[in-house]
Amino acid sequence: MQTIFVLVKCELGKAYDVADGAVQNIDFVSEVHSISGRYDLLMKCCLTDGTDIGRFVNDDIQTLPGVRDTFTMIAFKAFS
Amino acid sequence: MQTIFVLVKCELGKAYDVADGAVQNIDFVSEVHSISGRYDLLMKCCLTDGTDIGRFVNDDIQTLPGVRDTFTMIAFKAFS
Amino acid sequence: MQTIFVLVKCELGKAYDVADGAVQNIDFVSEVHSISGRYDLLMKCCLTDGTDIGRFVNDDIQTLPGVRDTFTMIAFKAFS
Amino acid sequence: MQTIFVLVKCELGKAYDVADGAVQNIDFVSEVHSISGRYDLLMKCCLTDGTDIGRFVNDDIQTLPGVRDTFTMIAFKAFS
Amino acid sequence: MQTIFVLVKCELGKAYDVADGAVQNIDFVSEVHSISGRYDLLMKCCLTDGTDIGRFVNDDIQTLPGVRDTFTMIAFKAFS
Amino acid sequence: MQTIFVLVKCELGKAYDVADGAVQNIDFVSEVHSISGRYDLLMKCCLTDGTDIGRFVNDDIQTLPGVRDTFTMIAFKAFS
Amino acid sequence: MQTIFVLVKCELGKAYDVADGAVQNIDFVSEVHSISGRYDLLMKCCLTDGTDIGRFVNDDIQTLPGVRDTFTMIAFKAFS
Amino acid sequence: MQTIFVLVKCELGKAYDVADGAVQNIDFVSEVHSISGRYDLLMKCCLTDGTDIGRFVNDDIQTLPGVRDTFTMIAFKAFS
């Protein structure tokens, strides 16, 4: 399992629609939060090992209707 | 009362119109300043407790005509 | 419940020790990930409603041994 | 009157002390808020016209005990 | 005299046209350089005292054909 | 030889097409990687000495179909 | 093979020493360039698959004498 | 002639001393301004062609007493 966090900026006024769409339509998206700061949403995605992360963000997140910009953080290790 | 500061980037040449519009039409906006740096305006907003801040920014600020981008800072506590 | 995400930069070479310390010693920290980018760690914290978030970050996160800098994102709403 | 906003990053765990010190000891500081994001505090300062703003930030804000970094925004005009 | 520096991002492929236009058409623009980094151009502008800087950037720089984004730095004092 | 690195943000969902186009059509582009963070691609370009770098980025990179934004880093010296 | 790019900020005046040290002492570092912008150096590292990248940056790069700060970009795919 | 602009962050409260020192002691520094934003000073430097810019910033600017951080922008071309 490969975890990534994607910060998402949406078209103006569309953040809540994008959030609803992401959790309902993309299986790999496990959590979506609206947040303070420069971006509108923080999405936690859990990908299968070996997935090309760049292609996932390019093909699945950036093409969601209402998405305007993305910032991708790769999680190397989870502590618990 | 919940205070937030929203940095706003406007469509080119529209910052002063957006500022006038915000102070006249949004009750929760208590101050607007044109500023130096990356953004055109700094808005201070005073919301009632329990307001969904993300929805306020999404629905009320981002939909103002001429707004292009926002950056939200939450004030946790005021000192005086 | 109030969720926040804190990006943490650690003293050089100490990120994995900080991560272990945070998950073991701070009850409100529910997840810690080492990440790519400018910061070393992303911490998800779940606070009780009404907590002064600024004081929590100031008193509990910034005082962890090995922490050098923090960036706080407030989650307004979770979508699921 | 010249208004500026100064974002302040403090020594770890000292933000609330810095905030108290600023409102009590610097006459030109009219508001201090602890905030989300990269900085700990947002200070609103009202200076007399003709003040060298760079020198004020250098001499009065940066020398407050516990201050680590500053980011200065100049307000050109207030809308109301 | 009030000096400001404006970093300018241009429409793709238009930076050199914007630069030529600015030096030829805006009296207050005294230097333009194409630069490395996030922005395409750095403009040095010398304004008469008392000018509303926000309005100058909004009305004169942001409306130049080909300008896409601006970042304004105010010079408080020149050393020599 | 003058080496530069250009971070490139692409139109949504077009990063892999831009990458293919750059390596095939621009001789000076020696490497392209899809990357994490704010930008989609990192391009390494090797220019002949004396090239106007700003004009190269403006004319050759920014005009590639699908490019939305660029950030240019100049390499002063390579160590080996 | 897993490629990463690490931007490195060094202690003042030490960037060229850090660069020499990195290419001579860390096998995984394949290229080092001094660069313009916020950071002093850009290092390209080629890691074996399955390496914990966070631990590599934490243990091998951040502990190099003279390193002050790092920013890590993960390369998902190389185009050629 | 090669022109560069260096943004300089100084030790707290030392910006004006650094500015005086730079204009008096470094021949290549032609202008210094105290500025708004994240950095304290903007220095314009005019170097002879062929100078290793990274080494100049590393050896001459970063070693000035009171300098804490630098951000370098390379000017490709001046318009006039």
Side-chain angles (χ1 to χ4, degrees):
Chain A
M1 189 77 85
Q2 170 68 52
T3 302
I4 68 172
F5 292 90
V6 186
L7 292 161
V8 178
K9 188 177 289 188
C10 300
E11 287 168 23
L12 299 168
K14 298 293 184 196
Y16 279 51
D17 297 339
V18 171
D20 282 329
V23 292
Q24 285 165 17
N25 299 323
I26 307 184
D27 285 348
F28 300 118
V29 173
S30 67
E31 290 180 39
V32 177
H33 303 266
S34 64
I35 53 168
S36 63
R38 185 184 307 274
Y39 293 88
D40 299 302
L41 302 174
L42 174 64
M43 297 185 182
K44 181 182 179 182
C45 309
C46 299
L47 310 176
T48 50
D49 283 330
T51 303
D52 177 343
I53 298 171
R55 184 160 282 288
F56 168 74
V57 173
N58 187 75
D59 290 0
D60 293 82
I61 303 292
Q62 293 191 349
T63 57
L64 278 173
V67 167
R68 196 160 51 128
D69 205 0
T70 60
F71 185 109
T72 308
M73 292 181 289
I74 311 305
F76 303 129
K77 178 172 154 64
F79 297 80
S80 62
Chain B
M1 188 77 85
Q2 169 70 51
T3 303
I4 68 172
F5 293 90
V6 186
L7 293 161
V8 178
K9 188 177 288 188
C10 301
E11 287 169 22
L12 299 166
K14 298 293 184 196
Y16 279 52
D17 297 339
V18 171
D20 282 330
V23 292
Q24 285 165 15
N25 299 322
I26 307 184
D27 285 348
F28 299 119
V29 172
S30 67
E31 291 179 38
V32 177
H33 303 266
S34 64
I35 53 167
S36 63
R38 185 185 308 274
Y39 293 88
D40 299 302
L41 303 174
L42 173 65
M43 297 184 183
K44 182 181 179 181
C45 309
C46 298
L47 310 176
T48 51
D49 282 330
T51 303
D52 178 341
I53 298 171
R55 185 162 282 286
F56 169 73
V57 173
N58 186 74
D59 289 1
D60 292 82
I61 303 293
Q62 293 190 349
T63 58
L64 278 173
V67 167
R68 195 160 53 127
D69 205 359
T70 60
F71 184 109
T72 308
M73 294 181 288
I74 312 305
F76 303 129
K77 178 173 155 64
F79 298 79
S80 61
Chain C
M1 189 78 86
Q2 169 69 51
T3 302
I4 68 172
F5 293 90
V6 186
L7 292 161
V8 178
K9 188 177 290 188
C10 301
E11 287 169 23
L12 299 166
K14 299 292 183 196
Y16 279 50
D17 297 339
V18 171
D20 282 328
V23 292
Q24 285 165 16
N25 299 322
I26 306 184
D27 285 350
F28 299 119
V29 172
S30 66
E31 290 180 40
V32 177
H33 303 266
S34 65
I35 54 168
S36 63
R38 185 185 308 274
Y39 293 89
D40 299 300
L41 303 174
L42 174 63
M43 298 184 183
K44 181 182 180 182
C45 307
C46 299
L47 309 177
T48 50
D49 282 331
T51 302
D52 178 342
I53 297 172
R55 185 161 281 287
F56 168 74
V57 173
N58 187 74
D59 290 0
D60 292 83
I61 302 293
Q62 292 190 350
T63 57
L64 277 173
V67 166
R68 196 160 51 128
D69 206 1
T70 60
F71 184 109
T72 307
M73 293 182 288
I74 311 305
F76 303 128
K77 179 174 154 64
F79 298 80
S80 61
Chain D
M1 189 77 87
Q2 170 69 52
T3 302
I4 68 172
F5 293 90
V6 186
L7 292 161
V8 178
K9 187 177 291 188
C10 301
E11 287 170 20
L12 299 166
K14 299 293 184 196
Y16 279 51
D17 297 339
V18 172
D20 282 329
V23 292
Q24 286 165 15
N25 299 323
I26 307 183
D27 284 348
F28 299 118
V29 172
S30 66
E31 289 180 40
V32 177
H33 302 265
S34 65
I35 53 168
S36 63
R38 184 186 308 276
Y39 292 89
D40 299 301
L41 302 174
L42 174 64
M43 297 184 183
K44 181 181 179 181
C45 309
C46 298
L47 309 176
T48 50
D49 282 332
T51 302
D52 178 342
I53 298 172
R55 185 162 280 286
F56 169 73
V57 173
N58 187 74
D59 290 1
D60 292 84
I61 302 293
Q62 292 190 350
T63 57
L64 278 173
V67 166
R68 196 159 52 127
D69 205 0
T70 60
F71 185 110
T72 307
M73 293 182 288
I74 311 305
F76 303 129
K77 179 174 153 65
F79 298 79
S80 60
Chain E
M1 188 77 85
Q2 170 68 51
T3 302
I4 68 171
F5 293 90
V6 186
L7 293 161
V8 178
K9 188 178 288 188
C10 301
E11 286 169 23
L12 299 167
K14 298 293 184 196
Y16 279 51
D17 297 339
V18 171
D20 282 330
V23 292
Q24 285 165 17
N25 300 322
I26 307 184
D27 286 348
F28 299 119
V29 173
S30 66
E31 290 179 41
V32 177
H33 303 265
S34 65
I35 52 167
S36 62
R38 184 186 309 274
Y39 292 88
D40 299 301
L41 302 174
L42 174 64
M43 297 185 183
K44 181 181 179 182
C45 309
C46 299
L47 310 176
T48 50
D49 283 330
T51 303
D52 177 343
I53 298 172
R55 184 161 281 288
F56 168 75
V57 174
N58 186 75
D59 289 1
D60 292 82
I61 303 292
Q62 292 190 350
T63 57
L64 278 174
V67 167
R68 196 160 50 126
D69 205 359
T70 59
F71 184 109
T72 307
M73 293 182 287
I74 311 305
F76 303 129
K77 177 173 155 63
F79 298 79
S80 61
Chain F
M1 189 76 86
Q2 170 69 51
T3 303
I4 67 172
F5 293 90
V6 186
L7 292 161
V8 178
K9 188 177 289 188
C10 301
E11 287 169 22
L12 299 166
K14 298 293 184 196
Y16 278 51
D17 297 339
V18 171
D20 282 329
V23 292
Q24 285 166 16
N25 299 324
I26 307 184
D27 286 348
F28 299 119
V29 172
S30 67
E31 291 180 40
V32 177
H33 303 265
S34 65
I35 53 168
S36 63
R38 185 185 308 274
Y39 292 88
D40 299 302
L41 302 174
L42 173 65
M43 297 185 183
K44 181 182 179 181
C45 307
C46 299
L47 309 177
T48 50
D49 282 330
T51 303
D52 178 342
I53 298 172
R55 184 161 282 286
F56 168 74
V57 173
N58 186 74
D59 290 0
D60 292 81
I61 303 292
Q62 292 190 349
T63 57
L64 279 173
V67 167
R68 195 159 52 127
D69 205 0
T70 60
F71 184 110
T72 307
M73 293 181 288
I74 311 305
F76 303 128
K77 178 173 154 65
F79 297 80
S80 61
Chain G
M1 189 77 86
Q2 170 70 51
T3 302
I4 68 172
F5 293 90
V6 186
L7 293 161
V8 178
K9 188 177 290 189
C10 301
E11 288 170 20
L12 299 168
K14 298 293 184 197
Y16 278 52
D17 298 339
V18 171
D20 282 329
V23 292
Q24 285 165 16
N25 299 323
I26 306 183
D27 285 348
F28 299 119
V29 172
S30 66
E31 288 180 40
V32 177
H33 303 265
S34 65
I35 53 168
S36 63
R38 184 185 309 273
Y39 292 89
D40 299 301
L41 302 173
L42 174 63
M43 297 184 183
K44 181 182 180 182
C45 308
C46 299
L47 309 176
T48 50
D49 283 332
T51 302
D52 178 341
I53 298 171
R55 184 161 281 286
F56 168 75
V57 174
N58 186 74
D59 290 0
D60 292 83
I61 303 293
Q62 292 190 350
T63 58
L64 278 172
V67 167
R68 197 160 51 129
D69 205 0
T70 60
F71 184 109
T72 308
M73 293 182 288
I74 311 305
F76 303 128
K77 179 173 154 66
F79 298 79
S80 61
Chain H
M1 187 78 85
Q2 170 69 52
T3 302
I4 68 172
F5 293 91
V6 186
L7 292 161
V8 178
K9 187 178 291 189
C10 301
E11 287 169 22
L12 299 166
K14 300 292 184 197
Y16 279 51
D17 298 338
V18 171
D20 282 329
V23 292
Q24 286 165 15
N25 299 322
I26 307 183
D27 285 348
F28 299 119
V29 172
S30 67
E31 290 180 39
V32 178
H33 303 265
S34 64
I35 53 168
S36 63
R38 184 186 309 275
Y39 293 89
D40 299 301
L41 302 174
L42 174 64
M43 297 184 183
K44 181 182 180 182
C45 308
C46 299
L47 309 176
T48 50
D49 282 331
T51 302
D52 178 342
I53 298 171
R55 184 161 282 286
F56 168 74
V57 173
N58 187 74
D59 290 1
D60 292 83
I61 303 293
Q62 293 190 348
T63 57
L64 277 174
V67 167
R68 196 159 53 127
D69 206 0
T70 60
F71 184 109
T72 307
M73 293 182 287
I74 312 305
F76 304 128
K77 180 173 153 64
F79 298 80
S80 60

